[in-house]
Amino acid sequence: MNRAVPAAYRGLDRFEARKRVLADLQAQGLLVSEKPYKLRVPRSGRTGVIVEPMLTTSGSCRWTDLLGAGSKPVAKGEVKFSPEH
């Protein structure tokens, strides 16, 4: 069970969930406006089904460890960036 998804939307088809989220935002007065937006939607070449990214949590590494190890050579001047900005 994904606790990041509110209970009201769990188990819904993505298209139905989007409709309900929009309706809930409108009902609570939180939706400022709706604007049409053209988007190239990727589709599977084999089945024609819409391909969407799978959202996951990134809990497989400690970012603080990586940050410390990566910033030391920069602080020592061992790494040069070009251009500097």
Side-chain angles (χ1 to χ4, degrees), residues 17-65:
R18 289 175 184 155
K19 289 177 188 176
R20 288 197 190 176
V21 167
L22 185 60
D24 289 347
L25 289 172
Q26 287 173 332
Q28 295 175 34
L30 299 173
L31 186 65
V32 176
S33 68
E34 284 183 76
K35 298 176 184 175
Y37 182 79
K38 281 196 171 192
L39 177 68
R40 290 188 57 193
V41 179
R43 293 186 176 267
S44 167
R46 185 168 51 92
T47 63
V49 174
I50 294 173
V51 177
E52 294 194 32
M54 185 172 78
L55 301 177
T56 62
T57 57
S58 179
S60 60
C61 63
R62 290 185 174 165
W63 290 104
T64 53
D65 294 346

